[in-house]
Amino acid sequence: MQKIEGRSLVSEFTIDDLKKAEGGRISLCACVHKLRRMSGFTFVLLRTGRYVIQSVYVPGLCEKTLQGVCEGAYVEITGDVKEEKRAAYGYEITLRDIEILSAPAAEYPLHVSDRVLGCTLDTNLAYRSVALRHPHERAVFRIQEGVVSGFREFMLAENFTEIHSPKICAAAAEGGANIFKLKYFGQDAVLAQSPQFYKQTCVAFFDRVFEIAPVYRAEKHNSTRHLNEYIGLDFEMGFIKDMTDVMQMETAMLRHVMEYLKKNYSHEIEMLGADIPEIGEIPAVTFFEALDILGKERNQFDLDPMDEVKLCEYAKAEYGCELIFVTKFPGQKRPFYAMDTPEDPKLAESFDLLFRGLEITTGGQRIHDYDMQLKKLERYGIEPEELESYLSIHKYGMPPHGGLGIGLERLVMKLLGLENIRQASLFPRDMHHLIP
Amino acid sequence: MQKIEGRSLVSEFTIDDLKKAEGGRISLCACVHKLRRMSGFTFVLLRTGRYVIQSVYVPGLCEKTLQGVCEGAYVEITGDVKEEKRAAYGYEITLRDIEILSAPAAEYPLHVSDRVLGCTLDTNLAYRSVALRHPHERAVFRIQEGVVSGFREFMLAENFTEIHSPKICAAAAEGGANIFKLKYFGQDAVLAQSPQFYKQTCVAFFDRVFEIAPVYRAEKHNSTRHLNEYIGLDFEMGFIKDMTDVMQMETAMLRHVMEYLKKNYSHEIEMLGADIPEIGEIPAVTFFEALDILGKERNQFDLDPMDEVKLCEYAKAEYGCELIFVTKFPGQKRPFYAMDTPEDPKLAESFDLLFRGLEITTGGQRIHDYDMQLKKLERYGIEPEELESYLSIHKYGMPPHGGLGIGLERLVMKLLGLENIRQASLFPRDMHHLIP
């Protein structure tokens, strides 16, 4: 791979480079994160793309003075690296030269260089482009990157093909008020609530597919666990014997993601004090068993947020696991494409995965047989004509298949113990935030 | 990584597995691609997730008969592998058992098992879920996957951070008729035409970022080179000395992508007869030099499609390269955030990359200085208040930076020599296609 010449030094820079340069000279580009003037010298904390490095300016040792060097300025520096146990990472740079590449027009309106940002979430979101300059804030999105990279690496290794399906779709049969609508060259269109139909379509010829893409829900929730635009990690796989194949695939995938994070993102995990779970086997209970555990009557059709918290407490206490599958939900709260449970058609071969008190996945086995799907549509009162294009996949043949969708921000939120899902989105979209 | 038990055999299957099983027995899941009845035996072509394998049914040798086995059925087979030079990949399976997992309700309306699909593009798109079952059609999207994977692998190795930015945005200052509009909880919103503002924002704290995500253009084109929803491969990098850093990064990235394709997708490259270019140095000419080459007056501000074809012919003839950069476009056709050329402020530090006669990239250096951006907005007649959130990134400091966006479908179209960009999109969106 060709390395690019020029000023792009900073992104080549790692803590290992610093170690290797000990006793020698190094050049790098960075943002001036903090200036701390002492008597006779000044600490200049340098924020690179991943680290905050301690450098020290001593008059007379440096080619240039600190004139014009302010917090928020971007600089290129040259300096001598020496061991310094009191500095972060154990090294310090004595500045020999500092060149200002660009200077800000105003001081940060937030305390970007404090250990903790220490403002309300509203203020954080109002000054999002500044808040994200805080090392803790940006580290959340390095972890997010790690989850996505680990997911993709696992999927590709398991021979899933990555697909890209459209997000502008014809008005959906599932309908409902929770859909963003728009006009598409005069036609009624909606923003996709999931890549469901498309990933099923692709199973017919790729066997296994996955997609990482935005998902839209026009829900009027104003909760700590809902976003109106979020990233879905979706997969769908053919030739399953039943939905446990999908659950096993998810378990193995999550195990890989956690190992991937520990291997590649230990810097951010440590900074954020994140507790990355060890994933062995994940316990599974049926929906009715879950109601029994909760001490509830078997007359409800879904779990509420408090149920999810309690079931995770149960899994932790009984199995030492922070995750739990809930399976075989009553069919009426599950979509028309869910496979009925053979022993009891009032139930669906559908599951949720709960993690630290929050549902992060919905999945299951889908109907692959054309006639079975037509009959279930009748039960749901949906006209087959509305779904003609979708039904063509069953008509011309589908293998037995199933899959799931994971909410990326929910997974990251729970991994990092964040209180609000907005903290796990670079530029969150909720009922009140359309900017930035 | 835990391997999943169960029926999910097919996706573990490779041609190497077939070779290794020679003289022995193999089990796999597949779709019955074609049945060819001969005297005394039947060829059963099996379509797995990536290959079409020849098997042969001989009455008496197989546990079950072929009753109910039809084209389009999904089956699990067991058979003996033997060398057979006349079969694809050089191996043939003698069927010992065949179990039908699911059967279609109707025959394919297209010739999925013919060597070439041989229908019009309109018919192909009308029956998209069937057309994609043709090995050539699906292979296009394996190549697409390869381009995306190669791009991402390169970006991560160069320490770019992967980001996810929202696609529902506040009505943009750039405005224009080419934007899809929608209502977002009572507010006016639009679908993002690019992740431009967001990737610039993230350069302030990550130095280098990239995104792979849908991009929306409501252009009323009905051409062979425009889609209304497509996948953008975007990157943005800080600490550049000028836009040539960005051009060099793109050159190295494309070189890596081509090597990645040759290494991992030779099966599909061969099947489609694709000509994957060797990328050395890519020649660059300024916009005015380009007009000279084209024998045109220096009084136009942009290139037309025929100019792009001719410039690529020129690059091929002069430099033996199928790509050419065109740089320093007149500013008036470039966006307000483009850096002016220092020697001539009527020009912009902005470039296009042309490949086999088609523009596949627009990029350049962006303005990082707050006052410079305010002055340029005045020239463009844009009120700073409309862009307050965006301008905060300049106000609180940005390093010198630049980046680009690549149209994934255009790149794949030209790589594979497809005639129409719709062939390079799984489920294309144009003025007339909102389904499937």
Side-chain angles (χ1 to χ4, degrees), chain A residues 309-322:
Chain A
V309 170
K310 285 184 185 160
L311 286 171
C312 284
E313 286 169 1
Y314 164 82
K316 187 82 195 262
E318 285 292 310
Y319 301 98
C321 183
E322 297 185 284

Side-chain angles (χ1 to χ4, degrees), chain A residues 168-188:
Chain A
I168 303 183
C169 299
E174 286 189 80
N178 294 333
I179 301 183
F180 288 111
K181 295 179 179 126
L182 73 159
K183 280 283 172 192
Y184 185 81
F185 301 114
Q187 293 180 72
D188 288 328

Side-chain angles (χ1 to χ4, degrees), chain A residues 164-384:
Chain A
H164 304 278
S165 66
K167 303 308 160 201
I168 303 183
C169 299
E174 286 189 80
N178 294 333
I179 301 183
F180 288 111
K181 295 179 179 126
L182 73 159
K183 280 283 172 192
Y184 185 81
F185 301 114
Q187 293 180 72
D188 288 328
V190 301
L191 294 182
Q193 286 186 298
S194 94
Q196 186 62 34
F197 293 0
Y198 298 110
K199 59 183 184 161
Q200 286 186 261
T201 301
C202 294
V203 162
F205 51 89
F206 277 143
D207 295 349
R208 295 176 164 189
V209 297
F210 74 98
E211 180 162 3
I212 299 162
V215 172
Y216 300 91
R217 305 276 165 104
E219 293 163 346
K220 287 185 180 168
H221 287 296
N222 196 3
S223 82
T224 58
R225 50 194 255 155
H226 290 91
L227 290 170
N228 296 104
E229 174 173 359
Y230 66 88
I231 298 297
L233 308 179
D234 270 273
F235 73 70
E236 198 76 15
M237 54 194 280
F239 299 110
I240 61 173
K241 57 180 192 307
D242 57 40
M243 71 171 162
T244 62
D245 279 344
V246 180
M247 292 158 64
Q248 283 186 48
M249 188 64 84
E250 179 169 31
T251 302
M253 180 278 289
L254 287 172
R255 190 178 299 141
H256 180 74
V257 166
M258 300 312 150
E259 283 161 13
Y260 189 89
L261 284 174
K262 285 183 208 165
K263 188 174 156 206
N264 298 295
Y265 294 85
S266 58
H267 177 63
E268 287 78 14
I269 290 170
E270 201 179 312
M271 184 193 303
L272 299 174
D275 178 11
I276 307 299
E278 292 286 336
I279 297 183
E281 293 304 307
I282 299 177
V285 296
T286 66
F287 179 75
F288 283 140
E289 288 168 356
L291 292 184
D292 294 347
I293 291 164
L294 295 165
K296 287 187 153 185
E297 296 287 327
R298 288 189 170 193
N299 60 0
Q300 67 182 84
F301 305 123
D302 208 350
L303 301 172
D304 65 34
M306 193 40 74
D307 295 340
E308 295 176 8
V309 170
K310 285 184 185 160
L311 286 171
C312 284
E313 286 169 1
Y314 164 82
K316 187 82 195 262
E318 285 292 310
Y319 301 98
C321 183
E322 297 185 284
L323 298 109
I324 183 168
F325 282 111
V326 182
T327 66
K328 296 187 192 288
F329 277 77
Q332 57 256 66
K333 282 286 179 185
R334 295 282 152 162
F336 65 81
Y337 49 76
M339 178 74 92
D340 291 343
T341 292
E343 318 86 74
D344 183 354
K346 285 195 291 298
L347 303 179
E349 290 294 281
S350 184
F351 66 85
D352 279 0
L353 178 63
L354 314 181
F355 175 41
R356 294 182 179 164
L358 185 64
E359 177 240 300
I360 59 164
T361 296
T362 294
Q365 181 170 5
R366 331 298 188 180
I367 294 173
H368 58 271
D369 184 82
Y370 186 57
D371 290 328
M372 186 188 287
Q373 184 62 81
L374 286 179
K375 284 201 189 89
K376 187 150 180 178
L377 285 178
E378 208 178 316
R379 261 165 57 203
Y380 273 66
I382 300 173
E383 292 295 330

Side-chain angles (χ1 to χ4, degrees), chain B residues 309-340:
Chain B
V309 170
K310 285 184 185 161
L311 287 170
C312 285
E313 287 169 359
Y314 164 83
K316 187 82 196 263
E318 285 292 309
Y319 301 99
C321 183
E322 298 185 283
L323 299 109
I324 184 169
F325 282 113
V326 182
T327 67
K328 298 188 190 288
F329 278 76
Q332 58 255 66
K333 283 285 178 184
R334 294 281 154 162
F336 65 81
Y337 49 75
M339 178 74 92
D340 292 341

Side-chain angles (χ1 to χ4, degrees), chain A residues 39 48 115 268 387:
Chain A
S39 69
T48 69
R115 208 185 58 78
E268 287 78 14
L387 287 169

